[in-house]
Amino acid sequence: MITSSDIFAISSQKQFEKIALKVFRFQYENNTVYHEFCNFLKTDPHKVKSLGQIPFLPIQFFKSHEVVSNTDTIEETFTSSGTTGMITSKHLVTDASIYEESYRKGFSQFYGNIEDYVVLALLPSYLEREGSSLIYMVEDLITLSNHPESGFYLHNHDELIAKLIALDQAGQNVILIGVTYALLDLIEKHDFKLQNTIIMETGGMKGKRKEMIREELHEQLCAGFGVSAIHSEYGMTELLSQAYSLGNGVFECPSWMQILIRDTEDALTYIPDGKTGGINVIDLANINSCSFIATQDLGKKNPNNSFEVLGRFDNSDIRGCNLMVL
C-alpha cells in the first residue's frame, strides 16, 4: 500500500517512476471509472512498465463520473467554476489532509516559510461561490502565515491598495494572489512601485475581460505593480498539487508531480521537449482519485522538466482528447 509519506518523500526520478507505477496499479484495481477507461484502451496493467505506457484519463470525466479510488467518506467536494448552465467538474476528496500536505509542502519548496509573508488574496470570482479548491488552499495559507494583516479582499480595492502600499513601504514580504482580471482592475485604479511584494496570478478572465496572451498580460502587470516578474500558479479543481512559475511563464512541479506532452492528433503518443502539445499531468497526491489526467491545456516541456502553458484546446478541436466517452 502506498502512503502519503511515500509520495511526499520522493527525491529522484527513479523513485518517482517506481511510485507512479504502484499508484497506477492501485488505481486500476480500485477506481471503477479509471479501470473501465483502461480496459476500453485494452491496457494490460501487467505490461505497463513506464510512465509513457500509463493511460491518462481525460479531464472531462470529472464532469460526468465520480472519480474515486476508495469507498471512504467524502470529506470535501471541490467544484470548478463555470457559466450558468455549464456542467462543472466535481473532485471528490476522501482525505483532505493529503491536499493540505501537498500545497503546504509545495509552497514551502518554492517560497520557503509561509510565516515570512503576509498573504493577501484578491479572488472575487472564487470567493463568490462554494467548493473552490483554490479558496480552501489560500484560506489555509492565510491562517498559517499567522499575520494579522493577511486576508481576503473582494471588491474593496481602495482598502487593498492602501494595505499593499503600507506593507511594502514597511519592508514586509507580501504575496498578493489574484485572479487575472481582478489584478488588472487593481492596476487601473493605482500605479504601484512595489519592492517587497510578489504578485501571483492564478489565471482566468472569467468572462470579465478579453483573453490576453501571457507575454502581454505579464508586461501590463509588471508595469502596473512596478515589479520585475509576475509569478503564476498552475492548478485545477481535479488536481491536489500545484506547479509554480517564478516568472516568464516557466512552471516547475513539486517532486511528486510531473507533466508529459501528448500529440494533439494522437492522444496516446508523446512528443519531444520543445514541441507544443496537450498537457498530461501526473499528480501522485491524487492517490484517492486519479493521478493521471489528460488536461485540455496546450503546452511544451523543457529539457529540465519545467514547462510552459500556451493555451487551451478549442472545444471544436479536441482531437487530442478524442477518448471522451466510455
Side-chain angles (χ1 to χ4, degrees):
M1 179 64 189
I2 312 107
T3 66
S4 59
S5 300
D6 299 325
I7 289 165
F8 295 122
I10 290 172
S11 59
S12 69
Q13 181 62 22
K14 187 176 179 181
Q15 207 177 3
F16 182 93
E17 291 180 13
K18 183 179 178 182
I19 292 178
L21 289 168
K22 284 185 178 179
V23 170
F24 160 68
R25 286 188 278 273
F26 167 76
Q27 292 181 341
Y28 176 82
E29 291 168 6
N30 294 280
N31 185 321
T32 304
V33 173
Y34 187 57
H35 184 96
E36 289 183 18
F37 178 71
C38 290
N39 287 350
F40 175 74
L41 295 179
K42 297 182 170 54
T43 303
D44 181 349
H46 301 293
K47 292 182 179 178
V48 174
K49 305 291 185 184
S50 68
L51 300 183
Q53 294 174 312
I54 295 173
F56 281 73
L57 188 73
I59 200 165
Q60 290 83 352
F61 275 79
F62 284 82
K63 292 184 177 182
S64 54
H65 295 73
E66 294 190 349
V67 185
V68 288
S69 293
N70 59 32
T71 56
D72 296 349
T73 302
I74 306 301
E75 291 184 0
E76 296 287 340
T77 299
F78 294 131
T79 57
S80 62
S81 54
T83 54
T84 306
M86 198 176 176
I87 300 172
T88 57
S89 290
K90 284 190 177 182
H91 187 181
L92 306 178
V93 179
T94 58
D95 187 350
S97 71
I98 295 179
Y99 180 43
E100 291 166 3
E101 189 171 5
S102 176
Y103 65 65
R104 289 172 183 175
K105 281 185 159 63
F107 181 92
S108 176
Q109 184 174 325
F110 291 100
Y111 293 99
N113 189 344
I114 185 65
E115 292 190 1
D116 292 339
Y117 299 92
V118 167
V119 180
L120 303 178
L122 182 60
L123 301 166
S125 52
Y126 294 92
L127 269 180
E128 291 165 323
R129 67 177 184 84
E130 292 184 355
S132 166
S133 57
L134 179 62
I135 293 297
Y136 187 102
M137 176 181 81
V138 174
E139 193 166 33
D140 190 47
L141 292 177
I142 285 171
T143 302
L144 292 171
S145 74
N146 199 26
H147 200 292
E149 301 288 3
S150 293
F152 283 101
Y153 288 80
L154 193 54
H155 301 296
N156 44 341
H157 288 173
D158 292 340
E159 187 182 338
L160 175 57
I161 289 167
K163 180 82 69 182
L164 266 175
I165 294 170
L167 290 169
D168 193 80
Q169 289 180 349
Q172 171 66 52
N173 292 327
V174 176
I175 292 185
L176 171 61
I177 303 175
V179 64
T180 306
Y181 78 83
L183 292 175
L184 289 168
D185 288 347
L186 197 64
I187 60 174
E188 284 182 358
K189 283 200 159 191
H190 188 83
D191 191 20
F192 294 90
K193 294 286 183 286
L194 301 173
Q195 294 184 317
N196 301 292
T197 301
I198 291 170
I199 306 298
M200 184 187 294
E201 56 103 358
T202 65
M205 293 300 190
K206 307 299 178 189
K208 306 283 187 182
R209 283 174 175 260
K210 182 183 173 184
E211 294 291 340
M212 300 165 62
I213 61 168
R214 179 188 57 79
E215 288 83 359
E216 182 187 0
L217 168 66
H218 282 203
E219 191 177 312
Q220 281 193 29
L221 291 175
C222 281
F225 285 108
V227 295
S228 59
I230 299 298
H231 294 221
S232 305
E233 178 256 4
Y234 180 76
M236 55 193 72
T237 301
E238 300 84 0
L239 301 179
L240 291 186
S241 300
Q242 299 78 27
Y244 289 100
S245 166
L246 307 190
N248 300 318
V250 178
F251 289 90
E252 294 188 35
C253 296
S255 57
W256 54 91
M257 176 185 181
Q258 286 187 16
I259 70 148
L260 301 175
I261 303 295
R262 67 181 186 272
D263 192 315
T264 55
E265 301 289 341
D266 178 4
L268 304 180
T269 300
Y270 294 100
I271 59 176
D273 292 345
K275 301 287 188 182
T276 300
I279 295 177
N280 283 3
V281 178
I282 303 174
D283 178 11
L284 298 180
N286 231 1
I287 186 168
N288 294 319
S289 177
C290 183
S291 291
F292 312 98
I293 297 174
T295 77
Q296 286 184 285
D297 293 327
L298 290 165
K300 65 179 180 181
K301 191 174 177 181
N302 302 317
N304 65 353
N305 278 336
S306 65
F307 68 100
E308 297 173 49
V309 183
L310 303 173
R312 289 178 64 79
F313 281 95
D314 187 296
N315 283 332
S316 63
D317 184 31
I318 313 224
R319 294 187 299 274
C321 266
N322 56 6
L323 301 169
M324 298 291 182
V325 184
L326 289 175

